[in-house]
Amino acid sequence: MNSQNEKRILIFDTTLRDGNQAVGVNFSLDDKIKIALKLDDLGVDYIEGGWPNETNPIDVAFFQSILKYRLRARISTFGRTRKPMVRAEDDLDLKYLAQPDIPTVTIFGKAWRLHVKDVLNTTLEENLNMVYDSVKYLKSLGKEVIFDAEHFFDGYRDSPDYAMEVLSMAEEAGASFLVLADTRGASDPLEVYEVTKKVVDRFKTPVGIHAHNDTGMAVANSVAAVKAGAVMVHGTVNGIGERCGNADLVQVIGVLATRLNCKMNVNLRMLSTVSQYLRDITSMEENPWQPFVGKYAFSHKGGVHGDAVVKNREAYEFTDPAIFGNTSAIVVSSQSGSASLAAKAQEMGFEIDKKDPRVLEALKKVKDLESKGYVFENADGNLFLILYESIYGPPQLFELEHWTSIVTWLGDRQVVECLVRVRVGGVSMTASAEGNGPVNAFDNALKKALSPIYPKIAYVSLIGFRVREIDAPSGTAASVRILAEFESNGSRWTTIGVSTNILKAAEEALVAGYKYFLLKFSST
Ligand SMILES: [Zn+2]
């Protein structure tokens, strides 16, 4: 890497402020502190903590509480310029932004005449004064001020002179950064590049970009601004935010690191875990297709792809997933060839060549089952069992002989009992158990029946159970597909069951899950 070509970029995270404005997100004080600590570990330069004011006690408390953690990142409050026709020092909201010992204040001011006239209901001149006075006042209190020019690109389209004049006011008053906001998220990358370049050429103050994602271009617009000379990028983890969200910092950082050779303080290897952490804390569904960090970002499914990446990863991977804490994977499906399956087998610890007839036998089984509605892309547990059986023959573990589940309704309360009989070696063993439903009762009884011979099975937990209705390939009756996810001692695996009977599909997935565990992790 040539250090002369490296460009230094500051990452400004607004997950706790703009991200908190996403529908469905409401961070508690505790959440905010935890996320700030995570962002600090990741290495972002700025953390915008929220908008402290009289009606927002959580944010006021955040700025008091966060001080004791002595974060490396600079913490910033967020708010707006003074109100029209009020002196800055008399504006209570502005005073709130200057929180004790918090070094930075980010304030937004209007850069679009439409907003000045129709939203603020004031004159164009008074708006310029508001920007100047607010920045000057906060500077006089010893704060670093980041000026966020709201609707800058819309404003520039309307009147380049006025939009530029707003920035001049902020610069003259001493702002440390002029941030160009694409607040409605409707600008395109070429436009953002051209306008940003004009601003960079005209002003001495460093320039930043704050892009929203209403037309799906927030990441592209952020990258375009950096190419034009912006040195600060605003965004949120996973792109959460108002409406369609903000620029996804995970992707922005990924692009800046791999495509633009930018230097950042961010620890790239933490990107995957930080992205996952935010999903967990916001209870948002995982996005397996998220670039750089998604579960499928480096998964190869097509037979040609799988074959090629075994020979040379660069064939279908533009970068090394490990840089971002991610891994690549060969996904086996009906589109796979024997090379993909052999690669998958090797990944699972089997020593086998792609030309071995047993690989072809396993591939035939996979394709046959897929034609019946099975999918193995997420069911590595079953794939392992298919490969095991093709290579070594059927595993001698246990056979399920029969099971009975009875649901008794007592008024509005139910009692579910299950009786299971399994055969291990030549011995039949029976156990019964209760559960909160037929599947849970079966799971409990099966584990109980197996535990005298396989005591380690007690350490396996069923952590996920998803049911999906699918069309039966024969077109006769709808089938259900069940994916069961297990965990034991930090390892996770998933199995599948398919049947027109939901209980039969559940039985198949659960039995496969325990067989996988016994073969993989437990000799007794
Ligand atoms: Zn925003």
Side-chain angles (χ1 to χ4, degrees):
M1 213 180 270
N2 182 346
S3 62
Q4 280 184 335
N5 295 332
E6 279 176 355
K7 191 171 167 182
R8 177 126 215 124
I9 299 295
L10 296 167
I11 299 298
F12 182 106
D13 183 280
T14 177
T15 304
L16 299 180
R17 201 276 302 170
D18 239 344
N20 200 28
Q21 289 175 227
V23 173
V25 173
N26 261 318
F27 295 131
S28 65
L29 177 60
D30 192 42
D31 291 340
K32 284 198 156 200
I33 302 274
K34 282 192 209 150
I35 294 168
L37 296 179
K38 218 20 140 197
L39 290 168
D40 197 51
D41 282 350
L42 176 65
V44 304
D45 300 283
Y46 286 86
I47 296 172
E48 190 173 68
W51 188 337
N53 55 46
E54 268 187 318
T55 57
N56 208 347
I58 285 185
D59 286 0
V60 175
F62 171 80
F63 289 109
Q64 288 161 0
S65 312
I66 199 67
L67 287 170
K68 69 167 179 276
Y69 295 97
R70 302 187 171 280
L71 301 189
R72 189 201 51 76
R74 286 179 86 82
I75 306 295
S76 177
T77 57
F78 172 86
R80 61 170 163 237
T81 52
R82 71 163 171 82
K83 291 184 192 71
M85 312 312 284
V86 174
R87 288 178 354 141
E89 45 272 49
D90 295 335
D91 190 312
L92 186 60
D93 284 352
L94 207 56
K95 242 189 197 90
Y96 257 106
L97 302 185
Q99 289 286 313
D101 300 318
I102 299 294
T104 305
V105 178
T106 302
I107 50 165
F108 71 95
K110 305 289 186 184
W112 186 11
R113 296 187 301 182
L114 176 146
H115 264 261
V116 177
K117 290 184 215 154
D118 296 350
V119 181
L120 291 180
N121 290 314
T122 191
T123 64
L124 296 175
E125 200 189 342
E126 173 62 359
N127 179 55
L128 295 176
N129 293 334
M130 286 157 63
V131 172
Y132 182 87
D133 294 350
S134 306
V135 175
K136 193 92 187 158
Y137 170 67
L138 291 165
K139 285 294 291 182
S140 77
L141 298 177
K143 301 297 180 188
E144 176 192 42
V145 181
I146 297 177
F147 180 70
D148 201 336
E150 200 196 24
H151 294 287
F152 184 78
F153 296 94
D154 294 319
Y156 190 92
R157 222 175 286 129
D158 167 48
S159 167
D161 288 347
Y162 189 73
M164 288 294 202
E165 193 57 24
V166 171
L167 296 181
S168 297
M169 289 295 118
E171 180 172 74
E172 272 176 40
S176 299
F177 292 91
L178 303 176
V179 178
L180 314 181
D182 188 26
T183 313
R184 295 192 305 172
S187 304
D188 69 75
L190 271 183
E191 183 186 18
V192 168
Y193 178 87
E194 282 166 14
V195 174
T196 305
K197 189 137 189 36
K198 287 199 173 101
V199 173
V200 169
D201 289 346
R202 179 162 161 174
F203 293 93
K204 290 194 294 291
T205 310
V207 171
I209 179 76
H210 180 111
H212 277 262
N213 199 37
D214 298 67
T215 53
M217 290 195 276
V219 171
N221 284 338
S222 304
V223 173
V226 169
K227 282 198 162 187
V231 293
M232 173 187 271
V233 181
H234 289 207
T236 61
V237 176
N238 299 334
I240 60 170
E242 192 95 34
R243 305 183 308 280
C244 308
N246 288 60
D248 177 3
L249 279 184
V250 170
Q251 295 182 55
V252 170
I253 291 168
V255 176
L256 296 186
T258 56
R259 310 301 307 156
L260 270 66
N261 195 24
C262 292
K263 207 156 169 45
M264 293 164 281
N265 286 321
V266 173
N267 177 359
L268 297 175
R269 273 179 200 277
M270 276 192 67
L271 273 184
S272 291
T273 49
V274 172
S275 170
Q276 190 54 49
Y277 185 80
L278 248 292
R279 290 208 190 284
D280 289 345
I281 215 162
T282 52
S283 303
M284 281 190 180
E285 291 242 349
E286 186 186 351
N287 172 10
W289 297 280
Q290 189 174 11
F292 300 99
V293 299
K295 191 163 121 193
Y296 302 155
F298 299 93
S299 290
H300 307 285
K301 179 174 166 184
V304 173
H305 291 221
D307 196 17
V309 290
V310 169
K311 292 171 184 152
N312 184 345
R313 290 229 168 265
E314 278 185 55
Y316 285 97
E317 287 179 2
F318 77 96
T319 187
D320 178 0
I323 294 171
F324 306 100
N326 205 348
T327 48
S328 65
I330 308 281
V331 173
V332 171
S333 76
S334 57
Q335 292 172 35
S336 307
S338 53
S340 293
L341 190 57
K344 188 81 197 176
Q346 283 157 13
E347 195 183 295
M348 288 176 157
F350 297 105
E351 283 174 17
I352 197 151
D353 185 80
K354 74 172 182 181
K355 295 203 174 66
D356 191 306
R358 293 172 297 178
V359 171
L360 291 175
E361 189 192 318
L363 189 63
K364 196 170 159 298
K365 278 185 205 161
V366 166
K367 297 202 171 194
D368 184 45
L369 287 165
E370 288 216 327
S371 73
K372 293 181 175 134
Y374 288 77
V375 281
F376 294 105
E377 286 158 27
N378 286 313
D380 270 7
N382 295 66
L383 202 57
F384 179 90
L385 293 174
I386 291 169
L387 283 160
Y388 185 98
E389 192 169 330
S390 299
I391 295 168
Y392 304 116
Q396 305 297 318
L397 293 165
F398 66 90
E399 294 309 318
L400 184 64
E401 291 196 315
H402 67 74
W403 63 284
T404 310
S405 197
I406 299 165
V407 182
T408 311
W409 287 95
L410 303 162
D412 57 357
R413 197 168 64 82
Q414 62 168 348
V415 177
V416 188
E417 295 158 298
C418 184
L419 181 75
V420 165
R421 191 153 86 179
V422 291
R423 176 171 284 272
V424 183
V427 186
S428 285
M429 287 182 300
T430 306
S432 66
E434 291 188 7
N436 58 18
V439 175
N440 180 238
F442 169 72
D443 185 38
N444 292 340
L446 179 62
K447 277 167 85 173
K448 205 167 156 188
L450 292 171
S451 58
I453 307 282
Y454 302 116
K456 284 184 184 164
I457 216 152
Y459 301 112
V460 181
S461 311
L462 179 62
I463 56 168
F465 193 78
R466 275 176 290 150
V467 183
R468 215 182 131 191
E469 195 170 302
I470 49 168
D471 288 331
S474 61
T476 49
S479 295
V480 287
R481 178 191 292 152
I482 282 175
L483 284 172
E485 192 179 0
F486 300 83
E487 199 264 342
S488 181
N489 206 13
S491 295
R492 287 182 178 203
W493 64 98
T494 302
T495 56
I496 187 171
V498 175
S499 171
T500 51
N501 180 330
I502 188 168
L503 292 177
K504 187 71 191 159
E507 174 211 295
E508 189 184 359
L510 290 172
V511 166
Y514 293 118
K515 285 190 172 172
Y516 173 85
F517 170 77
L518 294 173
L519 286 173
K520 190 94 178 165
F521 301 113
S522 168
S523 49
T524 54

